[in-house]
Amino acid sequence: MPMRSIFIIATCALLSTGAWAQVVFNSVSVRTHDGQIHNFAINRVDSITFDTVRSVQTDKWYHMLENPGIADYLRDFEYDPMDYSYHRLFDYRGEPYLDKRQDWPYGVTLGDTTYYNLIPGKTYTLQRCEDGVLTPVTIHTLGQLRMIKAEGIDNVRDLGGWPTLSGKHIRYGMLFRGVEMNTAYSTIPEQARSTHAITEEDRRMLREDLGIRAELDLRANSENPAKGYSALGRDIVYANYNIRYGEISSVENQALLLSCLRFVAEQVEAGRPTYIHCIWGADRTGLLCMMLEGLLGVSQSNLDKDYELTSFSGNTRYRNDTNYRSVIQKIVAMEGRTLQEKFRNCWKEFGATDAELDRFIEMMTE
C-alpha cells in the first residue's frame, strides 16, 4: 500500500494543549484539550502529518507500523474465553489484507530509505533523502504489535506492547519470539523440514538493531545443528531446554518450563534482550510465551491472538487447536480470582517462588 499524507489544518492547533491523535485504517481520531473526540474519515491512510503555526511540531508524522490485517485482527473483536469452538483468522489473513509478507511490519519510507523494526508509541527523528540532501523528519509511531522484518527467518515479533489487565503493558525490546535461525536436517522427516537460515543482514539486525544478547532454544538435540551455541555468535548467552508442547502436567516438563522462566528472568535482570524459539516459533515457543504473558497479566483473548499471529507468517495455528486449548483450559480451571493469579499459581506449582515471580512481573511490565 503506497504511503500517503493528509493535512488536517482545522484541528492541528489543538495539539499544543494536550491533544492526541490516533490513526486507524479508516479514520483519524483527534481528542482536543477539552476532552472532545473528532473523527475524520480516511480511506486506509497509514501516515498523517499535522502542520500549522500553532502545532507543537511543524513537521511531525504519525505512522502506523501494523499492517492492515494485523491491526484490524487485534482490535476488531474479543474472543469469548468460554468458547473454543471457533477462530476468526480467515477474516483477516486474506483479501483485502493480503501482502507478500504478512508477518512483516509496515516500514517508514522517507525518500529512498525505508526504516523497519521501529517500536510503537515512540518518537523518532529520521533522515529523509531527496536529491542528495538529508532532512530530519520527526515520526511518531503508532500501533501495538512490533513485528520484525527479517529476510531469512519469519514469524519474528517482540513480546512487548501487549496490555495487561492491571492497566500496564509488557516492555518492548526485552523478549522476542520467532523461528529457528538455522536448520538441522538430520532426523526430521522431509515433509516437516524447515529452511530457516539467517542472512548476514539478519544477524546484524538481530544483534545491533534489536540488541539480542541471549538465546533460548527449545529444540531437541536432533533438531539443533549448533549443539551448544547461538547462531548469532558464540558470545551470545545460550540455553537449550527441549520442552514438550501441550504438556504442563508432567513433572519433567514443569521442571523444563521453570528452567526457561528462570533463564529468561536472569537475562532480563542483566539487561540482555533474549530471542526465544523452537523450529517454527509456533508450538513450543507458543506454549512458553503464553505462560509468560499470562503471568504478566495479558487477557485470555489476547493470549489466543498472540498464539494465532503465527498464522500471518503462513504456518497456520488456531486457538481451537487441541494442544493449545487443553493447556489454557487447564490453567483457567486452577485456583485464583483472576486469570493472572491462575497463571501465577500454575508457575508456583512448577516450583517458582513468589519473590521471583514478583521480580519478573516488575521487570517486564510498565
Side-chain angles (χ1 to χ4, degrees):
M1 181 175 64
M3 180 177 289
R4 292 169 288 176
S5 64
I6 285 185
F7 291 86
I8 305 176
I9 304 299
T11 60
C12 292
L14 301 172
L15 293 179
S16 62
T17 51
W20 56 250
Q22 180 181 15
V23 181
V24 294
F25 282 94
N26 58 5
S27 68
V28 174
S29 296
V30 177
R31 185 175 68 194
T32 61
H33 65 284
D34 59 2
Q36 296 187 35
I37 297 178
H38 307 269
N39 295 305
F40 301 89
I42 294 177
N43 184 19
R44 291 190 175 274
V45 172
D46 59 5
S47 293
I48 291 87
T49 180
F50 295 86
D51 190 7
T52 71
V53 294
R54 292 182 58 196
S55 63
V56 174
Q57 186 78 40
T58 58
D59 193 11
K60 185 171 183 178
W61 294 65
Y62 290 78
H63 184 88
M64 174 64 80
L65 299 178
E66 296 164 351
N67 67 50
I70 295 290
D72 288 351
Y73 170 78
L74 291 179
R75 282 173 278 281
D76 269 3
F77 68 94
E78 293 289 316
Y79 274 129
D80 182 351
M82 304 301 293
D83 184 359
Y84 275 82
S85 66
Y86 72 101
H87 67 82
R88 295 194 57 184
L89 270 175
F90 295 147
D91 295 338
Y92 301 93
R93 208 186 60 178
E95 296 292 347
Y97 300 114
L98 196 58
D99 285 334
K100 183 178 180 181
R101 287 290 300 269
Q102 287 186 285
D103 63 319
W104 280 359
Y106 270 24
V108 177
T109 300
L110 299 173
D112 57 4
T113 302
T114 300
Y115 298 88
Y116 285 103
N117 304 331
L118 304 179
I119 299 175
K122 301 292 184 181
T123 298
Y124 291 88
T125 299
L126 305 175
Q127 299 292 329
R128 174 170 53 202
C129 182
E130 294 180 351
D131 299 324
V133 177
L134 290 177
T135 305
V137 178
T138 301
I139 300 287
H140 184 72
T141 54
L142 300 171
Q144 169 198 300
L145 184 65
R146 186 189 184 195
M147 304 187 87
I148 304 300
K149 178 183 183 293
E151 294 288 347
I153 55 178
D154 54 24
N155 195 28
V156 183
R157 57 188 182 270
D158 195 328
L159 264 66
W162 290 103
T164 71
L165 296 173
S166 64
K168 297 183 179 182
H169 67 269
I170 298 178
R171 284 181 60 193
Y172 290 106
M174 291 309 303
L175 299 179
F176 298 86
R177 58 177 294 176
V179 300
E180 63 186 350
M181 293 180 283
N182 50 5
T183 301
Y185 286 139
S186 56
T187 61
I188 304 174
E190 183 174 355
Q191 65 271 21
R193 291 178 182 174
S194 66
T195 56
H196 304 128
I198 57 171
T199 65
E200 284 306 310
E201 172 56 23
D202 292 339
R203 184 176 284 108
R204 184 209 64 77
M205 180 272 295
L206 291 167
R207 289 181 60 102
E208 297 180 18
D209 295 350
L210 302 186
I212 301 296
R213 289 296 178 268
E215 177 183 338
L216 177 55
D217 187 345
L218 305 178
R219 295 175 297 180
N221 285 335
S222 62
E223 301 168 329
N224 184 355
K227 300 296 192 296
Y229 63 91
S230 172
L232 294 179
R234 291 180 180 269
D235 61 326
I236 300 298
V237 179
Y238 177 84
N240 180 206
Y241 298 108
N242 180 219
I243 65 173
R244 292 196 303 276
Y245 174 52
E247 176 57 68
I248 61 168
S249 298
S250 73
V251 173
E252 179 185 6
N253 214 44
Q254 289 176 354
L256 289 170
L257 286 165
L258 181 58
S259 295
C260 291
L261 171 65
R262 287 175 170 165
F263 176 80
V264 166
E266 180 182 352
Q267 306 320 308
V268 173
E269 184 84 60
R272 291 190 285 261
T274 302
Y275 187 85
I276 303 169
H277 72 92
C278 47
I279 291 181
W280 299 102
D283 300 320
R284 288 167 288 188
T285 302
L287 169 63
L288 177 59
C289 290
M290 181 261 284
M291 296 291 298
L292 296 176
E293 291 164 346
L295 173 64
L296 295 173
V298 175
S299 72
Q300 193 168 335
S301 176
N302 282 336
L303 293 175
D304 295 348
K305 288 181 179 181
D306 190 34
Y307 176 72
E308 290 190 334
L309 280 170
T310 290
S311 303
F312 288 86
S313 69
N315 194 6
T316 305
R317 294 295 186 274
Y318 308 123
R319 70 189 286 268
N320 49 357
D321 288 344
T322 300
N323 286 329
Y324 174 81
R325 184 178 69 242
S326 67
V327 170
I328 194 113
Q329 289 178 337
K330 285 179 183 177
I331 294 170
V332 169
M334 298 189 74
E335 291 185 3
R337 295 171 302 166
T338 66
L339 183 64
Q340 185 176 16
E341 284 187 9
K342 293 173 187 289
F343 272 97
R344 185 186 186 94
N345 288 335
C346 186
W347 280 110
K348 289 174 68 174
E349 187 175 287
F350 295 174
T353 66
D354 282 317
E356 61 188 336
L357 295 177
D358 287 341
R359 179 59 181 152
F360 182 67
I361 294 169
E362 177 187 3
M363 292 187 297
M364 281 301 301
T365 57
E366 56 187 10

